[in-house]
Amino acid sequence: MTQSSDSLREAAETMRAVRERCAWSQQITHRDLVPYLIEESHEVIDAVENGTRADLREELGDLLWQVLFHAAIAAQDPDDPFDIDDVADTLTEKMVRRHPHVFADAVANTPEEVLVHWNAAKAAEKRSRLSVLDGVPRGMPALALAQKIAGRAAAVLPAPGPAGASKAAPPASEAELGDALLVLVNQARDNGWDAERALRERLRLLEDEVRAAEAD
């Protein structure tokens, strides 16, 4: 493994030069970059699941470039500028705060105990939030969003059951879960339904139920 004295700093300076001197990059906004960020994130996932070590290294670099690009754009904001050092400082402070078992005198010997400290620190940071659903990014794919919202909703409501009586045994593994999900997707396709939209619409109902329960 080879590296310069400060490879990350060199990458940040390369990005700054591109932002200042490249006619295309000069015009790009945070919003313009969103599709590229999504694409690069999925390419990292593909490299993890199907690629080589070289693929993963390259795709992680492409994803890092997106972070550097956003920071370079932010550094030019006339009202509230911040740069990659500010991003790194904020990240470091947050991670130190959320790992008191590493950087302070708290004790956590199991993953479950680690999560207790993590969630306590996170709750202290987000005291201004009024709902357990606040902070959930709605741009996530429907299935990932469902898992996130269902996890938050479990603190307020019992888990919803199936719409109709089901005699099928529940999946006993991730592989069986994949099979069951594919069956549902095929049912949607056969009926001309949009599986993504169907799940998002059901999630909106669940969100309404959670917020109503919180208001009681």
Side-chain angles (χ1 to χ4, degrees):
M1 182 173 63
T2 60
Q3 63 180 32
S4 66
S5 59
D6 192 344
S7 298
L8 286 175
R9 172 54 54 195
E10 184 175 353
E13 289 302 313
T14 300
M15 178 67 252
R16 183 183 61 79
V18 169
R19 175 68 175 175
E20 292 177 354
R21 303 173 194 170
C22 171
W24 181 84
S25 299
Q26 289 170 352
Q27 305 302 314
I28 296 298
T29 67
H30 290 297
R31 187 175 293 275
D32 294 332
L33 276 182
V34 168
Y36 300 99
L37 178 60
I38 294 171
E39 180 180 349
E40 297 298 352
S41 298
H42 283 288
E43 288 183 1
V44 169
I45 293 169
D46 190 57
V48 169
E49 295 178 345
N50 304 302
T52 65
R53 299 289 292 174
D55 293 333
L56 180 57
R57 181 173 61 191
E58 178 180 357
E59 297 304 340
L60 285 173
D62 290 346
L63 186 58
L64 175 60
W65 186 254
Q66 294 298 307
V67 176
L68 295 174
F69 206 153
H70 277 286
I73 295 171
Q76 296 176 332
D77 187 277
D79 301 317
D80 186 18
F82 61 83
D83 61 16
I84 192 63
D85 289 321
D86 297 314
V87 172
D89 289 343
T90 300
L91 172 64
T92 299
E93 291 169 4
K94 179 192 290 187
M95 291 303 108
V96 169
R97 190 168 58 248
R98 291 189 182 182
H99 292 81
H101 55 292
V102 176
F103 300 103
D105 56 0
V107 176
N109 296 317
T110 67
E112 292 75 18
E113 291 174 347
V114 170
L115 285 177
V116 170
H117 291 304
W118 177 276
N119 290 331
K122 189 171 182 179
E125 296 165 11
K126 310 297 183 181
R127 286 175 180 160
S128 61
R129 291 182 175 175
L130 302 178
S131 170
V132 295
L133 300 179
D134 289 348
V136 176
R138 296 315 189 272
M140 297 171 66
L143 197 57
L145 181 62
Q147 189 152 338
K148 176 70 73 172
I149 289 179
R152 299 284 186 91
V156 180
L157 296 172
S166 175
K167 297 180 181 179
S173 66
E174 281 195 4
E176 290 186 9
L177 176 61
D179 290 339
L181 290 172
L182 184 56
V183 167
L184 291 175
V185 170
N186 279 327
Q187 289 176 355
R189 181 178 56 80
D190 291 342
N191 286 279
W193 300 332
D194 186 318
E196 177 89 2
R197 182 175 63 238
L199 183 53
R200 285 191 177 278
E201 289 180 353
R202 181 61 184 89
L203 289 175
R204 280 193 285 273
L205 294 176
L206 178 57
E207 289 189 62
D208 291 342
E209 294 167 6
V210 169
R211 294 185 188 280
E214 290 174 326
D216 289 343

